[in-house]
Amino acid sequence: RFGETLAADLLDFRSGALPWADVDPGCLLYGPPGTGKTTLARAIAARCGVAFIPTSYAEWALGTEGGNEVISRIRAAFEAARFHAPCILFIDEIDSFPRRGYGAHNAGYFTSLSNTLLTEI
């Protein structure tokens, strides 16, 4: 149902019948792996005629040496979303994102990551 409502809102926005402030800014899709969350988000983007930007914490952290690179990748994903707006920025498996203060030794690192994500959202 959300996808249909979002598509209608975006069409109304594009025609000038609805101000951007009245378009719902986001949603959370949840369910076990393999239930079609990514497919649904991609289909909603296609139906709405907007860009689909998939990303994940794993993509942000893959092959990095430290927090600055992860933070740069988080910011780049949101910058891409702002550039392509309106669009759907799909953050897959966000539950794998480390919580603030996680791990005594690297608590500051994980706090910085969390703060960056929350600031961008």
Side-chain angles (χ1 to χ4, degrees), residues 27-33 35-37 40 90:
C27 75
L28 175 66
L29 303 176
Y30 64 94
T35 57
K37 297 176 294 290
L40 175 61
F90 183 76

Side-chain angles (χ1 to χ4, degrees), residues 4-14 18-19 22-24:
E4 294 169 0
T5 302
L6 179 60
D9 283 354
L10 284 174
L11 292 172
D12 286 345
F13 165 72
R14 287 188 171 153
L18 185 70
D22 290 343
V23 177
D24 195 339

Side-chain angles (χ1 to χ4, degrees), residues 86-112:
C87 69
I88 292 181
L89 175 63
F90 183 76
I91 305 172
D92 198 13
E93 299 176 359
I94 197 163
D95 57 324
S96 67
F97 199 86
R99 67 184 186 280
R100 255 189 251 189
Y102 175 76
H105 185 264
N106 294 322
Y109 166 74
F110 292 117
T111 298
S112 295

Side-chain angles (χ1 to χ4, degrees), residues 49-61:
V50 299
F52 178 72
I53 303 170
T55 190
S56 67
Y57 174 69
E59 182 179 313
W60 296 334

